[in-house]
Amino acid sequence: MAADYVKILDKLVRLNRGMNLKLREGTTTLDVNIYNNTLLTLDLECDDVDKHSEYIYNEIIALENVTMYIPSVYIKED
């Protein structure tokens, strides 16, 4: 069973106070912010964040020198 990265990304953002994802209006550029600081800017192929949730999640957790809570991911096998 594949991991549901939409839910995993949602949990990552929800559990890190002040973190938000903001798609720039009229573009496919996504900013990852903690409070007022932009930590990461990603250029996506389209403006569907759900479609790119695995890529976004992997890019966020790969950030260095950033303290954040990364929730455990459990993949249920059938």
Side-chain angles (χ1 to χ4, degrees):
M1 180 177 193
D4 184 355
Y5 277 95
V6 173
K7 289 181 181 178
I8 294 168
L9 180 62
D10 178 58
K11 190 173 185 180
L12 175 72
V13 172
R14 189 172 32 87
L15 293 175
N16 285 283
R17 184 171 290 165
M19 180 182 283
N20 63 50
L21 307 177
K22 187 170 187 177
L23 199 59
R24 293 184 190 171
E25 191 172 327
T27 68
T28 59
T29 303
L30 179 76
D31 291 325
V32 179
N33 302 310
I34 292 186
Y35 296 107
N36 292 330
N37 299 322
T38 301
L39 300 177
L40 181 65
T41 300
L42 300 171
D43 289 320
L44 306 176
E45 293 176 7
C46 65
D47 61 356
D48 185 4
V49 174
D50 290 348
K51 182 177 177 182
H52 299 289
S53 59
E54 181 176 2
Y55 170 70
I56 296 165
Y57 174 80
N58 289 328
E59 290 295 313
I60 292 172
I61 65 169
L63 290 171
E64 294 182 7
N65 299 320
V66 177
T67 302
M68 71 179 94
Y69 174 75
I70 301 175
S72 298
V73 177
Y74 299 101
I75 300 172
K76 183 179 177 182
E77 296 186 23
D78 293 331

